[in-house]
Amino acid sequence: MTRRRLLAFLVANACLAGPAPAAAALTQVPVKATSLREEVPGTGGTYLAWSQNNAGHRFAVNLFVQNGGAAPVRVNPRRTSAWAGSIDGTTL
């Protein structure tokens, strides 16, 4: 019975100790950071896809994809809206 109490005490203290120092030191780094609303990211290999509104039409949403450091490419046609999903290889 003493071993069970000791084990319960150790487990309870370990749970209450809080996050590990490495987890507490994590900081968020923005990937896309403009004044526009950039949401619903998807990644696959070196590709990054995201949905973004535009300054002229705040409620219109466009889908962009970017491969590594290349320029972003808009995927959806004009006057349409699109949201990002997932990427499988080179298939969006």
Side-chain angles (χ1 to χ4, degrees), residues 64-83:
F64 290 90
V65 67
Q66 185 175 13
N67 184 9
V73 176
R74 180 175 163 175
V75 177
N76 61 304
R78 291 176 50 92
R79 297 190 182 111
T80 65
S81 293
W83 292 92

Side-chain angles (χ1 to χ4, degrees), residues 22-90:
L26 294 177
T27 58
Q28 291 185 354
V29 177
V31 175
K32 297 290 180 186
T34 68
S35 60
L36 300 174
R37 196 177 75 228
E38 297 155 333
E39 302 176 325
V40 194
T43 62
T46 59
Y47 289 92
L48 171 66
W50 70 96
S51 300
Q52 166 183 310
N53 70 339
N54 66 53
H57 304 280
R58 301 298 280 177
F59 297 106
V61 179
N62 297 311
L63 172 59
F64 290 90
V65 67
Q66 185 175 13
N67 184 9
V73 176
R74 180 175 163 175
V75 177
N76 61 304
R78 291 176 50 92
R79 297 190 182 111
T80 65
S81 293
W83 292 92
S86 61
I87 299 175
D88 184 13
T90 57

